[in-house]
Amino acid sequence: MAAQAKPRATYSEIAKAAGVSEATVSRVLNGDPRVNPDRVAAVQKVVEELGYKRHRAAAALASGRSNLIAIVIDDDLSVFSDPFWATISSGVSRVLMQNELQTLLLVASVDSVDGPVAHYLQGGEVDGAIFFQLHKETLVKRLAKQGMPVVISGTPHGSSDFVYVDSDNFGGALQATKHLMAQGCKRVATITGDTVATAGNQRLEGFLQAYRERGTVANKNLIAHGDYSFESGKEQMRVLLERDLGVDGLFAANDLMAIGAIAAIEEAGLSVPNDIKVVGFDDSIMAQTSRPSITSVRQDIVRLGETLGELMIRKLAGEEIEPVILPTELVVRESA
Amino acid sequence: MAAQAKPRATYSEIAKAAGVSEATVSRVLNGDPRVNPDRVAAVQKVVEELGYKRHRAAAALASGRSNLIAIVIDDDLSVFSDPFWATISSGVSRVLMQNELQTLLLVASVDSVDGPVAHYLQGGEVDGAIFFQLHKETLVKRLAKQGMPVVISGTPHGSSDFVYVDSDNFGGALQATKHLMAQGCKRVATITGDTVATAGNQRLEGFLQAYRERGTVANKNLIAHGDYSFESGKEQMRVLLERDLGVDGLFAANDLMAIGAIAAIEEAGLSVPNDIKVVGFDDSIMAQTSRPSITSVRQDIVRLGETLGELMIRKLAGEEIEPVILPTELVVRESA
DNA sequence: CGCTGTCGTGAAACCGATTTCATGGGGGTT
DNA sequence: AACCCCCATGAAATCGGTTTCACGACAGCG
């Protein structure tokens, strides 16, 4: 559109100024170890002076590597309901940038295995892909099979051998439930999130495990199924109260439902934490600001993003890598 | 790393199959109007059959355009406190993708005008840049001067001639304050956000304007300065109450401070909305779930992102474009 | 002392599209 | 009928690095 201030230095200039061939310039800039140190120094000096910046498109074309990593986010509204992916993305981006990689943001419907996103990724435009909110595994499987490095945020279904990073949903839920029990709660209930997704399922499993470790089994009626929304928390709490089981503790699979549940509890004339103690999950800002403030399981979201980036880098380097489960931490506040 | 399934079709194959030259293939694919319709059809047919996907790096190298637009986000923690940029980014990304552009996510410290980000952007790696949270205008100014299309989210300081998109902070605040007055509030106070940033300042101005339109001037003591945090809302509300001015209405510059203020009000033994009515800003999820639920000024964040993308596209097309102010909407709930 | 193996180096091919430029044909003008 | 101009088209140059390959020098070996 407009004139570039300086017309960019090229290898040809550098080579001339440093008295070497372009091939050697390339070797120096790519850290090839078998270049004479003198020449390395000469080239680096010239590069410095000219303020040379590698032309990525040219490099990509010649090498076949784009240095681009895609973050793929499914565009099914979940974007708006998930407050985390922004933070995760920023962590990913920072780590990748430190490694000379660029982060491409792909927000689109990942539904069809033949949609634009699929084509795009299969087109070899990117060197790797990081997926969020994995609903459809087909595409990811295919990409992985084609040899594209893929890392996933959140535990995928089945025993697929994807590399993923996730918070310890199971452990967090277990700890939360045990905390309630330790506070003297005899009948701890739970409101689950979407248990089709693994995160919701794992949180339920953690809850159940707490009962097992106490040597009992949770009454089925102590389990209510929500969908992570405020409304569902409220509704399901009403349901639990109507069952009249003497619930005195609640583990909600996220903070929003915990807040909804508390609203229902207070509407029923009961008090938190006196009559019923409540623990949430996520340690969102709402857990801190709602009254009563909510005891919640904190996930280290920034770390999650950084880990995703690090795994991707190691995978690109050819390392064999394992999934990572990040620890959670129980933050105790007024509600339990 | 691994073998690509199919080795990608190239112009050379298409040209051969369609019985035309590579130049013509390029013309067809780039929508050059002066190609014989028959050949256009022939090429398109072959392209379809081969599932051809343009090699972006090659195209970028040859044309000098990267088709990459950077979203630049300053990495000074604000990322974590601003729940909006994720939504904005997704809107931007979607719009750009529909126009064959890619979105590059740049999360880094934009502090120094000579930092990596600056170098990066000036290196001509991207065709345009979208900035969030503009603290330092120096870099942006320089880029704009160099001819790079730049669009900014949020109103910049001064009368700079940047193109930006912003919500109508002034209008929203005005409406909120007038709403309080219409509800019978005689002494409406405000807790501002960071008034160094334009958004905070505009919201304060809107508040003041409401008084002006009523033919009076707001008492200086009705203005308290917060920083958008829950704690500051609580503190500043205490300050306001201590001033003992008979405040019966509050416009908080965001929901979080509104919630903090409500906490302080209730601690003082007063009730919302009976004794003091409260209006927030943002219409965040917290406005809906807190008790009492909060009347708040809604911004259309998705639209904001989409508009950013659209402006960028028009700017790339060479159009002269004007800043856009998006309307806000008052959502009335229990608190006022 | 000659032969082979290794290593650093540069020339040149190459990546895949875009764009310039030359060409030839067709339509319009006088 | 001769001339011009315009337009569609293909050949070829080009973008800026990367990588292969061949070459010469030098070290080690017998």
Side-chain angles (χ1 to χ4, degrees):
Chain A
M1 191 121 307
Q4 204 67 353
K6 335 172 204 170
R8 290 188 80 92
T10 67
Y11 271 21
S12 126
E13 299 176 42
I14 298 176
K16 206 165 298 170
V20 299
S21 71
E22 298 186 23
T24 298
V25 175
S26 176
R27 293 190 183 105
V28 172
L29 264 46
N30 291 303
D32 189 319
R34 10 163 233 202
V35 179
N36 184 316
D38 292 350
R39 308 197 181 209
V40 173
V43 170
Q44 285 176 338
K45 181 162 165 293
V46 176
V47 164
E48 183 72 24
E49 289 171 0
L50 270 56
Y52 173 80
K53 288 285 294 171
R54 179 200 249 86
H55 191 299
R56 299 189 96 112
L61 175 57
S63 69
R65 279 170 263 115
S66 65
N67 282 338
L68 246 47
I69 306 294
I71 290 185
V72 185
I73 298 170
D74 205 336
D75 188 13
D76 60 353
L77 294 182
S78 49
V79 172
F80 311 113
S81 58
D82 188 343
F84 295 139
W85 77 258
T87 312
I88 299 181
S89 301
S90 74
V92 171
S93 170
R94 197 163 345 110
V95 170
L96 292 183
M97 176 164 285
Q98 282 161 8
N99 287 267
E100 307 253 298
L101 292 171
Q102 311 208 36
T103 311
L104 207 55
L105 195 59
L106 238 51
V107 180
S109 167
V110 190
D111 287 358
S112 72
V113 191
D114 293 307
V117 175
H119 265 105
Y120 190 80
L121 293 173
Q122 290 183 88
E125 305 272 3
V126 296
D127 290 350
I130 295 175
F131 281 79
F132 284 4
Q133 315 242 167
L134 195 57
H135 301 313
K136 297 262 305 176
E137 294 195 3
T138 333
L139 172 59
V140 180
K141 256 179 196 142
R142 193 198 292 184
L143 288 173
K145 197 165 290 170
Q146 285 184 9
M148 170 168 301
V150 173
V151 180
I152 295 167
S153 166
T155 312
H157 286 96
S159 59
S160 41
D161 44 13
F162 296 134
V163 176
Y164 61 88
V165 182
D166 205 351
S167 290
D168 187 4
N169 291 301
F170 177 85
L174 172 59
Q175 192 185 358
T177 311
K178 285 171 85 169
H179 172 77
L180 286 166
M181 292 173 170
Q183 297 294 306
C185 297
K186 299 299 176 199
R187 303 189 71 77
V188 180
T190 188
I191 300 178
T192 72
D194 170 19
T195 49
V196 173
T198 49
N201 198 29
Q202 290 168 340
R203 291 177 195 179
L204 173 56
E205 283 302 324
F207 167 82
L208 296 173
Q209 177 67 17
Y211 271 90
R212 279 189 221 110
E213 292 190 4
R214 206 176 64 174
T216 56
V217 173
N219 181 330
K220 286 262 190 298
N221 286 324
L222 289 172
I223 302 171
H225 294 281
D227 62 6
Y228 289 127
S229 71
F230 173 81
E231 284 305 329
S232 77
K234 203 163 169 180
E235 267 171 40
Q236 294 305 314
M237 189 65 223
R238 288 203 193 108
V239 171
L240 286 171
L241 290 173
E242 277 167 17
R243 287 183 189 158
D244 208 14
L245 298 161
V247 167
D248 55 2
L250 173 76
F251 166 60
N254 75 347
D255 288 339
L256 205 46
M257 291 195 297
I259 291 174
I262 290 175
I265 291 170
E266 298 191 344
E267 271 180 15
L270 299 172
S271 127
V272 176
N274 295 336
D275 299 314
I276 302 182
K277 299 191 197 307
V278 176
V279 177
F281 207 109
D282 290 346
D283 190 33
S284 59
I285 181 95
M286 288 179 286
Q288 303 165 42
T289 62
S290 94
R291 278 154 310 128
S293 62
I294 299 175
T295 296
S296 185
V297 179
R298 165 181 295 165
Q299 318 183 48
D300 192 339
I301 303 297
V302 175
R303 181 79 193 295
L304 217 163
E306 289 170 350
T307 307
L308 282 169
E310 286 160 10
L311 287 189
M312 175 55 71
I313 286 159
R314 289 172 48 198
K315 191 147 194 180
L316 285 171
E319 279 183 54
E320 274 301 315
I321 56 181
E322 296 290 313
V324 173
I325 304 290
L326 296 174
T328 56
E329 177 196 358
L330 187 71
V331 180
V332 178
R333 296 206 181 79
E334 295 166 3
S335 72
Chain B
M1 190 124 304
Q4 204 68 352
K6 338 171 203 169
R8 288 190 81 93
T10 66
Y11 271 21
S12 126
E13 298 175 44
I14 297 175
K16 206 165 298 170
V20 300
S21 71
E22 298 187 22
T24 297
V25 174
S26 176
R27 292 188 185 108
V28 171
L29 265 47
N30 291 304
D32 189 317
R34 12 165 232 200
V35 179
N36 184 316
D38 293 352
R39 309 197 181 210
V40 173
V43 170
Q44 284 175 339
K45 181 161 167 291
V46 176
V47 164
E48 183 73 22
E49 288 170 2
L50 269 56
Y52 172 80
K53 288 286 294 171
R54 177 200 253 91
H55 190 299
R56 298 188 96 110
L61 176 57
S63 69
R65 278 169 266 116
S66 65
N67 281 342
L68 245 49
I69 305 293
I71 290 185
V72 185
I73 298 171
D74 205 337
D75 189 12
D76 59 353
L77 294 181
S78 49
V79 173
F80 311 114
S81 58
D82 188 343
F84 296 140
W85 77 258
T87 311
I88 299 182
S89 301
S90 74
V92 171
S93 169
R94 195 160 349 107
V95 170
L96 292 184
M97 176 164 287
Q98 284 161 6
N99 287 269
E100 307 254 295
L101 291 170
Q102 312 207 39
T103 311
L104 208 56
L105 196 58
L106 239 51
V107 181
S109 167
V110 190
D111 287 359
S112 74
V113 191
D114 293 307
V117 176
H119 265 103
Y120 190 78
L121 292 174
Q122 291 184 88
E125 305 273 2
V126 296
D127 289 349
I130 295 175
F131 282 79
F132 284 4
Q133 316 242 167
L134 195 58
H135 301 314
K136 298 262 304 174
E137 295 193 4
T138 333
L139 173 59
V140 180
K141 258 179 195 142
R142 194 196 291 185
L143 290 173
K145 197 164 292 171
Q146 285 184 9
M148 171 169 300
V150 173
V151 179
I152 296 167
S153 168
T155 312
H157 287 95
S159 58
S160 40
D161 43 12
F162 297 134
V163 175
Y164 61 87
V165 181
D166 204 351
S167 290
D168 186 5
N169 291 301
F170 176 85
L174 173 60
Q175 192 184 0
T177 311
K178 284 172 86 169
H179 172 77
L180 286 167
M181 291 175 172
Q183 297 295 305
C185 297
K186 298 299 177 198
R187 301 190 71 80
V188 180
T190 187
I191 301 179
T192 72
D194 170 18
T195 48
V196 173
T198 48
N201 198 28
Q202 290 168 341
R203 290 177 196 180
L204 172 56
E205 283 303 323
F207 167 82
L208 295 174
Q209 177 67 18
Y211 270 91
R212 277 186 224 114
E213 291 191 4
R214 204 176 65 173
T216 56
V217 175
N219 182 329
K220 285 262 190 301
N221 286 324
L222 289 172
I223 302 171
H225 293 280
D227 62 7
Y228 290 126
S229 72
F230 173 80
E231 283 305 331
S232 78
K234 202 163 169 179
E235 267 171 39
Q236 294 306 313
M237 190 64 224
R238 286 201 194 109
V239 171
L240 285 172
L241 290 173
E242 279 169 16
R243 287 182 191 162
D244 208 15
L245 299 162
V247 167
D248 54 2
L250 174 75
F251 166 60
N254 75 346
D255 288 340
L256 205 46
M257 291 195 297
I259 292 174
I262 290 176
I265 291 169
E266 297 189 345
E267 272 180 15
L270 299 172
S271 129
V272 176
N274 294 337
D275 299 314
I276 303 183
K277 302 192 195 309
V278 176
V279 177
F281 206 109
D282 290 346
D283 190 32
S284 60
I285 181 100
M286 288 178 286
Q288 303 165 42
T289 61
S290 92
R291 277 156 307 130
S293 61
I294 298 175
T295 296
S296 186
V297 179
R298 166 181 293 164
Q299 318 183 48
D300 191 338
I301 304 298
V302 175
R303 181 78 193 296
L304 216 163
E306 290 170 349
T307 307
L308 281 169
E310 286 160 11
L311 287 189
M312 175 56 71
I313 287 161
R314 289 172 46 198
K315 192 148 193 179
L316 286 171
E319 279 183 53
E320 273 302 315
I321 55 181
E322 296 290 313
V324 173
I325 305 291
L326 295 174
T328 56
E329 177 194 359
L330 186 70
V331 180
V332 178
R333 296 206 181 78
E334 294 166 4
S335 72

